[in-house]
Amino acid sequence: MRISTKTICLLLMLAIACPLIKAGNKKNLNIVFIGNSITQGVILQNPTHNAPPVKAALFLTKQPEISSVKYSNQGVSGCTTTDYLPQTETLFPKAKAAADAFADETWATLVFSIMLGTNDSAINGPNGAPASPEKYEENMRTIINQLLALYPNCKIVLHRPVWYSPNTYNGAMYLKKGLERLESYYPVLQSLVTDYSKRFPGQVFMGDTEGFDYFKANYQTDLFPEDGNAGTFYLHPNEKGATALGKFWAEAILKIVE
């Protein structure tokens, strides 16, 4: 069977165009990670290479639908939602500066990856702790509203704070009561996502929800054992745990940019 010159030309055009179309559908991401010591990567020997945001970015760069990933790790040890409130002018300006550094890159999707609540849940110690579920919701809403006002095209991903052992007690006191308070924040996050999905569709999403149960089941292999005032406690991910948490975050981000 003879193939016409016209048909051959059409097939050649399709062969050239298809990879270009596929490449054009790839996503460029600029991610600002907001969080506490877990996000920062404390205790890790080399957080610059091993903190959860680094692992998340690395995972995303390996995905066929992602073209490029730039990120800023704004995790600060000991911080709470109170510390991140815009009106306190403490940590929020730093997150804003990190996002503003990406301002000229309009071809990329700006993502805020947020995991806050661990320190809010403490019985005492961190600024603003203990934060009731109502106060936690109020603070998170204030942070989200300001991000949406400053960056109308951004996407915000809210990750569930991960598990810590019920005897956690270092410079701050957490213990069982703190863990129970931490668990009460999860429905708050779900409610916030539901609310914002109606008023700002396609911008505020539920992120990772698997990390809490994962670390509860794998704390001996994935969290550092730390000496505390109530015995050896488990709070911060080791390198294996940071890789796992980074992957959980990356998978959640990947879903919302596809």
Side-chain angles (χ1 to χ4, degrees):
M1 181 178 71
R2 296 182 63 185
I3 302 176
S4 68
T5 302
K6 186 176 181 180
T7 302
I8 293 173
C9 289
L10 180 61
L11 290 172
L12 286 171
M13 289 173 66
L14 287 171
I16 294 170
C18 284
L20 292 175
I21 292 171
K22 187 175 181 180
N25 289 334
K26 285 193 171 188
K27 305 294 183 181
N28 299 288
L29 303 178
N30 290 332
I31 310 172
V32 178
F33 290 91
I34 291 175
N36 47 48
S37 58
I38 294 171
T39 299
Q40 183 180 343
V42 300
I43 306 182
L44 290 167
Q45 187 172 6
N46 192 346
T48 304
H49 292 93
N50 296 322
V54 185
K55 300 298 185 179
L58 183 62
F59 179 87
L60 286 166
T61 58
K62 295 179 180 179
Q63 305 313 304
E65 55 267 66
I66 301 298
S67 179
S68 68
V69 180
K70 293 182 180 180
Y71 71 94
S72 175
N73 185 351
Q74 292 298 310
V76 177
S77 182
C79 82
T80 61
T81 55
T82 298
D83 295 313
Y84 258 105
L85 289 174
Q87 61 265 33
T88 65
E89 297 186 345
T90 51
L91 299 182
F92 191 91
K94 296 179 181 179
K96 180 180 181 298
D100 288 346
F102 300 130
D104 293 336
E105 300 180 11
T106 55
W107 62 85
T109 301
L110 177 61
V111 178
F112 290 94
S113 170
I114 303 176
M115 192 184 82
L116 291 169
T118 302
N119 295 312
D120 295 73
S121 71
I123 295 171
N124 59 50
N127 186 25
S132 67
E134 293 76 17
K135 186 60 178 177
Y136 178 73
E137 178 179 6
E138 178 187 330
N139 289 352
M140 288 295 293
R141 192 179 292 278
T142 301
I143 295 166
I144 294 167
N145 286 346
Q146 187 68 357
L147 291 176
L148 291 173
L150 291 170
Y151 311 100
N153 297 316
C154 76
K155 294 183 182 293
I156 301 172
V157 185
L158 307 177
H159 304 294
R160 180 185 183 185
V162 295
W163 179 90
Y164 56 73
S165 64
N167 67 328
T168 298
Y169 185 0
N170 46 23
M173 182 187 295
Y174 298 84
L175 304 178
K176 184 179 179 182
K177 189 175 290 186
L179 181 60
E180 290 171 350
R181 187 177 295 110
L182 184 74
E183 292 187 75
S184 74
Y185 295 161
Y186 182 31
V188 171
L189 294 174
Q190 292 174 307
S191 177
L192 284 170
V193 170
T194 299
D195 178 45
Y196 280 100
S197 67
K198 298 171 184 174
R199 299 187 295 116
F200 296 88
Q203 288 196 262
V204 181
F205 302 86
M206 193 70 230
D208 166 58
T209 60
E210 298 179 47
F212 185 95
D213 290 333
Y214 175 83
F215 286 108
K216 184 177 181 179
N218 297 281
Y219 68 93
Q220 290 182 313
T221 58
D222 287 63
L223 298 179
F224 284 108
E226 302 178 57
D227 293 331
N229 298 316
T232 301
F233 68 91
Y234 296 84
L235 169 65
H236 296 102
N238 57 24
E239 187 171 344
K240 182 175 181 292
T243 300
L245 185 57
K247 184 180 178 183
F248 286 140
W249 289 354
E251 289 173 337
I253 292 169
L254 193 61
K255 288 179 183 178
I256 65 105
V257 298
E258 286 178 341

